[in-house]
Amino acid sequence: MPPRSKAKSAAIIAVANQKGGVAKTTTVASLGAAFAEMGKRVLLVDLDAQASLTFSLGADPDEVELSINDVLTGGHALKDVIVSCDDGVDLVPSAIEVAGTEAALLGRPAREYVLQQALDDVRADYDLILLDCSPSLGVLTLNALTAANGLIIPMSAEMLSHRGVGQLLDTVRDVTKFLNKKLVILGALPTLYDGRSNHAREVVADVGERYGIPVLMPPIPKTVRFAEAPAVGRSILRTARSSKGAMAYREVAAAILKTL
Ligand code: ADP
Ligand code: MG
């Protein structure tokens, strides 16, 4: 008898760092667009009440009918909340109500598993699901780490202090111990990288060794193009197709696909 073919289900990748402004959202939007270009079916989930991902993909967080909050606390099926975007990706949007999601989840048993369970329903419909985390290590980020099988940690190559990374890795250790044995750290991703700066080069060279984690390459160069993209609801992969930043994200996306 031929082996029973297992229905393929999406790899789920959390993009997290409790530091703000390290390009988590930019990374989710750009990798998502890169995977879509490669013909993959991609779902992006906005877990941040700031809703930057939702906004940057051209959806208005004030006008979305249903958001991730309705899934996590209101009993709506995730399928009913998905909107499709111009970049060839699907999105589960965030909205201002998500500011109250953490508090609503706190009193619930098994609160760390709510997202994982909600994603189960759509997992067979996608090749990749990327989770854009808020700048905190709260319940929503724990939900992302519990649902994911891979973690990307964007880090600004400019910053001297990576103290927060140790704390994030402690959390990851606890998550793999108690909540999700399948979570693998795909790597730190150096962002906002200025290759002309010795300091940036040293930070990138040091980070993998210091924390004992892989470093995704190439680093994402710092370029003004990234700031321009969200204004038109498209990622840099569409607005500046052959810019260095877009090319770097495509390379990182290809490298990630090989490791999955
Ligand atoms: P986070 O989600 O970690 O808070 P964002 O993705 O929102 O970070 O990025 C923070 C800011 O940095 C945004 O204004 C974004 O446009 C900008 N940015 C992100 N990546 C780059 C880059 N490679 N070059 C220049 N600006 C960038
Ligand atoms: Mg963000």
Side-chain angles (χ1 to χ4, degrees):
M1 218 166 46
R4 200 164 4 140
S5 70
K6 232 171 87 185
K8 273 218 164 178
S9 72
I12 303 180
I13 301 175
V15 177
N17 184 335
Q18 75 276 31
K19 203 166 170 50
V22 296
K24 289 181 289 297
T25 299
T26 305
T27 296
V28 167
S30 305
L31 288 180
F35 288 134
E37 279 180 1
M38 297 169 183
K40 302 293 177 193
R41 299 164 303 166
V42 180
L43 176 67
L44 309 182
V45 182
D46 191 346
L47 291 168
D48 189 351
Q50 300 279 327
S52 317
L53 179 68
T54 300
F55 177 75
S56 72
L57 289 173
D60 182 345
D62 292 333
E63 281 176 11
V64 297
E65 269 174 50
L66 293 170
S67 75
I68 185 69
N69 179 59
D70 298 292
V71 176
L72 298 179
T73 72
H76 280 268
L78 195 115
K79 267 195 173 83
D80 298 339
V81 177
I82 293 173
V83 293
S84 50
C85 301
D86 289 343
D87 263 6
V89 298
D90 284 353
L91 169 73
V92 175
S94 178
I96 189 69
E97 295 80 52
V98 175
T101 307
E102 297 249 344
L105 284 176
L106 275 177
R108 286 185 40 176
R111 57 182 169 258
E112 291 92 355
Y113 293 94
V114 185
L115 178 64
Q116 181 190 64
Q117 203 167 35
L119 286 171
D120 264 353
D121 259 1
V122 300
R123 216 173 156 174
D125 302 335
Y126 295 96
D127 299 306
L128 289 135
I129 300 177
L130 305 184
L131 311 174
D132 185 21
C133 294
S134 70
S136 92
L137 290 175
V139 183
L140 280 176
T141 298
L142 288 178
N143 262 272
L145 296 176
T146 303
N149 38 2
L151 168 65
I152 296 173
I153 308 171
M155 288 171 79
S156 164
E158 270 183 348
M159 311 247 181
L160 249 181
S161 160
H162 289 155
R163 248 173 306 166
V165 174
Q167 200 188 352
L168 174 59
L169 294 178
D170 286 346
T171 303
V172 169
R173 223 160 287 136
D174 284 346
V175 167
T176 46
K177 199 160 150 194
F178 300 116
L179 298 166
N180 176 16
K181 288 194 171 49
K182 293 200 187 107
L183 181 63
V184 171
I185 298 175
L186 297 174
L189 176 63
T191 57
L192 297 155
Y193 180 71
D194 177 359
R196 294 165 305 181
S197 140
N198 289 334
H199 174 64
R201 284 204 304 272
E202 282 161 17
V203 168
V204 169
D206 177 57
V207 77
E209 210 172 318
R210 186 183 313 183
Y211 295 105
I213 56 176
V215 178
L216 293 166
M217 286 291 181
I220 308 301
K222 186 174 185 179
T223 145
V224 67
R225 296 286 194 172
F226 282 96
E228 292 164 356
V232 292
R234 292 286 185 88
S235 83
I236 181 178
L237 271 76
R238 288 293 190 83
T239 57
R241 289 196 57 83
S242 46
S243 68
K244 278 190 187 161
M247 303 301 264
Y249 271 117
R250 286 191 191 100
E251 275 187 60
V252 171
I256 289 169
L257 280 188
K258 276 192 199 141
T259 67
L260 291 176

